[in-house]
Amino acid sequence: MKNTGSLFRIQTVVRMFLLISLLMSSSAVDAKKREAEPFPVRTPFSNWSAGVSVSTMGIGLSAATPVHRSVMLRAEYSLLLLRPQVAVEMNVAALPGNRSFEISPSDITAKLESHTLRLLVDWDPIRNGAGLFWLTGGIFFQNRGILNYSEAYDADVFADFGYSGQDLRKIEIINDYGRYNLDPDATVSSTLYRPCFGMYFGLRFGRPIPKRRVGFSGEIGIPVYMGKVQGVSSNVLEYYAPSLLSPVLNQFETGFRVSAGFFLSLQLTFRLKND
């Protein structure tokens, strides 16, 4: 799972280089054609755009429409779905009566699933909607349970010691990250929760509704998360969360938090109507 965090950091650097290249090429072309092709003056809800994006929040779909010549409303949904590979390690099973023995899980599953909905306002304060640089901000909502982790153990092993069903709760599994009780199905299950609400501030490079049929854009910003962050059942999530969730949550700490992250996005935008 540490490799997953490294992979995200590498992907972020690559995206930044791509974004800079797109901005340079798009600015050059726009400067040459701006005088020959005047920008359309858009009235409220006179046009729409649809977009697809790749960002630190996952793969996204968006829609935008003007409410003023220089103000756009935008909604975007992003999905991030990962199944990190976790190495199986030898742990210790502690039974009542100071009995213990070494045991390894028969199966480990980890699933990171992030759903994010952003509701944004894009504003061009300089060129009345014709510029390439837009201030953007708004709110976002996301699912609370983001990371599910489960270790399954062979129930027959504990049956040999006379433990099954609800009695399995008396047995603790101990590893380098902590100690936690078995569930009645001989598993250890954990869920990492995150804040479900936040505010967003950013800078967009490229028009929300392109002048031509298709346009490219990029965005950098700061999501501010507000709410509870906590893991349940297993401290192992506290060990893995900082590297695994760095693109999604920025920092792990149990309890109520207000924390800021980093957002980077590349988007392909399609204008839906002729101006």
Side-chain angles (χ1 to χ4, degrees), residues 48-272:
W48 293 81
S49 71
V52 292
S53 63
V54 178
S55 74
T56 49
M57 290 183 177
I59 304 298
L61 297 174
S62 66
T65 188
V67 293
H68 182 270
R69 181 175 180 177
S70 59
V71 179
M72 304 279 176
L73 291 182
R74 180 161 53 102
E76 181 176 288
Y77 166 77
S78 298
L79 170 66
L80 180 63
L81 185 62
L82 294 174
R83 294 185 180 274
Q85 296 298 317
V86 184
V88 176
E89 299 180 355
M90 188 65 69
N91 301 324
V92 174
L95 282 63
N98 295 323
R99 293 180 297 172
S100 63
F101 59 91
E102 289 189 336
I103 188 172
S104 62
S106 56
D107 184 46
I108 297 179
T109 59
K111 180 181 179 182
L112 188 153
E113 184 172 355
S114 170
H115 302 269
T116 306
L117 175 64
R118 300 194 301 154
L119 304 176
L120 306 169
V121 175
D122 298 322
W123 176 43
D124 177 8
I126 301 175
R127 296 185 54 82
N128 291 322
L132 290 177
F133 298 93
W134 295 66
L135 298 177
T136 182
I139 59 176
F140 63 89
F141 304 90
Q142 53 192 12
N143 58 308
R144 275 184 49 76
I146 182 175
L147 178 61
N148 295 307
Y149 178 87
S150 177
E151 295 179 358
Y153 291 86
D154 188 352
D156 292 337
V157 174
F158 302 109
D160 293 339
F161 289 87
Y163 293 93
S164 62
Q166 294 295 327
D167 289 338
L168 289 175
R169 294 186 181 275
K170 301 176 183 178
I171 299 175
E172 287 187 318
I173 300 296
I174 305 172
N175 59 23
D176 293 338
Y177 319 123
R179 52 196 304 157
Y180 36 89
N181 294 95
L182 279 175
D183 292 329
D185 59 353
T187 64
V188 172
S189 300
S190 303
T191 302
L192 181 67
Y193 295 99
R194 63 175 179 175
C196 60
F197 172 80
M199 301 182 67
Y200 175 80
F201 308 92
L203 178 63
R204 181 185 178 95
F205 307 91
R207 303 180 183 97
I209 300 179
K211 183 165 62 174
R212 299 175 184 82
R213 183 63 68 179
V214 181
F216 292 95
S217 62
E219 187 178 327
I220 57 174
I222 299 175
V224 180
Y225 304 89
M226 291 173 278
K228 282 189 175 182
V229 181
Q230 70 180 73
V232 297
S233 299
S234 172
N235 293 335
V236 69
L237 291 180
E238 297 187 22
Y239 176 82
Y240 284 122
S243 61
L244 184 60
L245 299 184
S246 58
V248 184
L249 187 58
N250 181 50
Q251 187 174 1
F252 176 86
E253 185 175 329
T254 299
F256 184 88
R257 286 190 55 80
V258 175
S259 60
F262 173 74
F263 178 80
L264 174 66
S265 172
L266 292 177
Q267 186 174 78
L268 182 65
T269 310
F270 304 88
R271 193 189 68 211
L272 300 183

